């Protein structure tokens, strides 16, 4: 059976690798306690984003089916030299490579369909695999998150407070919370991963918190008040922040707005022409 080149495996799966050895915060209840429950997805989420890290650059595409259903695709990026290496290795393995509309397409028996490699700025990305499939039900507090690749489905509950959106994911009888905040440049995501475990050790900054309890080697269970939650979010040492830059939007083209702009532009030109004629 024909195997996938090692280089291709590393590039295609790199974004899915999770860090190990980190302490993770889980919550006994959805956060925040007194946040507004959201039963439709906020429109600002839809679009394409990139995140630059020490390891390289990642691409995230959020595609809306409607305000109740969205899919999130994520992939790792690589530069021109890596692309040339990828193409040379794939060709030496007998794969078929074609180029259409500025993208490369690689045919390999390990792929259910051809794999697209597209250029975004100075980087190249594989077409992202489905990472999350999110579905909400209007009028119902709970939705579901499909992890993709047959990894299972989790219950979710989305709440909003103070300009932040909280994606609460229920697993193993506790909640894992991702905080999403829109910015002028894109999105800031905060995940409950402890940067420095000494903060939670005896004598550490958070040693005396009565709402934080140890469970297992790398997990902590917490139940902070809303005020305490926003304090630790501001401190940014029990959460890891990711900064995603928006590079495009997938929202429908606003024909009405374009028509208004054209109408105003034509009116301005006609007014200017009339003033010029009167002066002459």
């Amino acid at each position: 059976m024909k195997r996938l080149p090692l280089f291709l495996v590393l590039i295609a799966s790199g974004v899915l690798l999770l860090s190990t050895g980190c302490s993770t915060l889980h919550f006994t209840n959805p956060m925040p306690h007194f946040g507004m429950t959201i039963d439709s997805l906020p429109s600002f989420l839809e679009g394409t984003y990139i995140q630059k890290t020490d390891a390289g650059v990642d691409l995230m595409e959020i595609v809306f089916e409607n305000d109740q259903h969205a899919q999130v695709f994520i992939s790792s990026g690589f530069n021109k030299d890596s692309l040339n290496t990828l193409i040379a290795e794939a060709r030496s393995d007998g794969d078929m490579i074609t180029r259409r509309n500025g993208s490369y397409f690689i045919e390999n028996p390990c792929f259910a369909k051809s794999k697209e490699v597209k250029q975004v700025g100075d980087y190249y990305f594989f077409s992202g695999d489905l990472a999350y499939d999110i579905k909400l039900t209007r009028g119902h507090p709970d939705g579901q998150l499909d992890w993709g690749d047959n990894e299972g489905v989790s219950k979710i509950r989305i709440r909003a407070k103070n300009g932040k959106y909280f994606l609460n994911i229920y697993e193993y009888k506790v909640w894992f919370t991702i905080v999403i905040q829109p910015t002028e440049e894109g999105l800031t995501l905060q995940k409950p991963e402890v940067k420095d475990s000494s903060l939670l050790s005896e004598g550490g900054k958070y040693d005396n918190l009565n709402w934080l309890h140890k469970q297992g080697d790398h997990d902590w269970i917490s139940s902070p008040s809303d005020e305490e939650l926003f304090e630790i979010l501001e401190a940014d040492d029990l959460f890891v922040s990711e900064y995603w830059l928006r590079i495009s939007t997938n929202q429908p083209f606003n024909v009405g707005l374009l028509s208004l702009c054209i109408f105003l532009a034509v009116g301005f030109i006609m007014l200017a022409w009339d003033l010029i004629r009167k002066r002459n």
Side-chain angles (χ1 to χ4, degrees):
M1 180 178 178
K2 193 174 182 181
R3 298 177 60 186
L4 192 64
L6 176 60
F7 183 86
L8 195 58
V9 172
L10 293 176
I11 291 294
S13 61
V15 76
L16 300 179
L17 298 178
L18 299 178
S19 59
T20 58
C22 294
S23 295
T24 304
L25 284 181
H26 294 89
F27 300 91
T28 56
N29 299 290
M31 293 286 108
H33 296 284
F34 298 102
M36 179 177 64
T37 299
I38 303 297
D39 63 358
S40 61
L41 297 167
S43 61
F44 70 79
L45 286 175
E46 187 173 21
T48 302
Y49 306 84
I50 59 171
Q51 175 196 210
K52 292 186 178 181
T53 67
D54 293 338
V57 62
D58 298 329
L59 181 77
M60 176 171 64
E61 298 175 281
I62 304 178
V63 181
F64 275 35
E65 179 72 23
N66 50 55
D67 65 356
Q68 304 285 293
H69 182 199
Q71 294 182 320
V72 182
F73 300 86
I74 301 179
S75 59
S76 290
F78 46 97
N79 58 27
K80 180 69 172 179
D81 291 339
S82 297
L83 174 67
N84 293 334
T85 302
L86 168 64
I87 292 174
E89 189 168 332
R91 282 177 174 163
S92 67
D93 197 49
D95 295 335
M96 180 181 296
I97 299 177
T98 58
R99 189 170 187 181
R100 301 189 302 272
N101 300 323
S103 295
Y104 292 91
F105 293 84
I106 301 177
E107 304 280 352
N108 184 289
C110 294
F111 294 141
K113 59 181 180 179
S114 62
K115 202 74 171 178
E116 179 184 1
V117 181
K118 56 186 177 181
Q119 184 176 4
V120 179
D122 297 328
Y123 295 91
Y124 294 83
F125 298 86
F126 279 100
S127 292
D129 292 323
L130 179 62
Y132 315 110
D133 190 293
I134 300 173
K135 295 179 181 178
L136 302 180
T137 301
R138 201 176 307 280
H140 197 282
D142 295 332
Q144 70 176 37
L145 183 147
D146 189 328
W147 293 93
D149 293 331
N150 299 316
E151 292 293 330
V153 177
S154 299
K155 180 174 71 174
I156 61 173
R157 189 172 298 174
I158 302 177
R159 289 181 175 173
K161 189 173 183 178
N162 296 351
K164 298 179 184 290
Y165 291 78
F166 297 77
L167 173 60
N168 296 282
I169 304 169
Y170 187 70
E171 284 197 309
Y172 306 110
K173 298 182 179 181
V174 291
W175 296 85
F176 180 84
T177 302
I178 299 175
V179 185
I180 306 168
Q181 183 172 15
T183 67
E184 291 184 1
E185 296 79 19
L187 297 175
T188 296
L189 305 184
Q190 290 180 280
K191 299 185 296 184
E193 296 179 3
V194 181
K195 297 178 181 179
D196 183 357
S197 58
S198 66
L199 295 169
L200 304 172
S201 303
E202 184 176 354
K205 179 178 178 180
Y206 297 104
D207 179 31
N208 297 323
L209 296 181
N210 57 14
W211 46 262
L212 190 61
H213 305 284
K214 183 70 172 174
Q215 175 174 302
D217 294 333
H218 303 295
D219 294 325
W220 294 78
I221 304 298
S222 57
S223 182
S225 67
D226 287 4
E227 292 75 15
E228 291 167 329
L229 173 65
F230 278 91
E231 285 179 4
I232 61 175
L233 285 174
E234 185 68 25
D236 201 32
D237 48 17
L238 297 185
F239 282 75
V240 173
S241 295
E242 297 181 355
Y243 305 97
W244 291 85
L245 176 67
R246 180 189 294 273
I247 57 175
S248 71
T249 177
N250 299 328
Q251 295 179 5
F253 190 68
N254 194 326
V255 177
L257 180 60
L258 175 62
S259 300
L260 176 61
C261 292
I262 293 175
F263 175 79
L264 293 175
V266 171
F268 177 79
I269 292 172
M270 292 179 64
L271 177 61
W273 178 250
D274 187 57
L275 291 174
I276 292 172
R277 289 181 59 189
K278 287 181 178 180
R279 288 182 179 181
N280 295 333

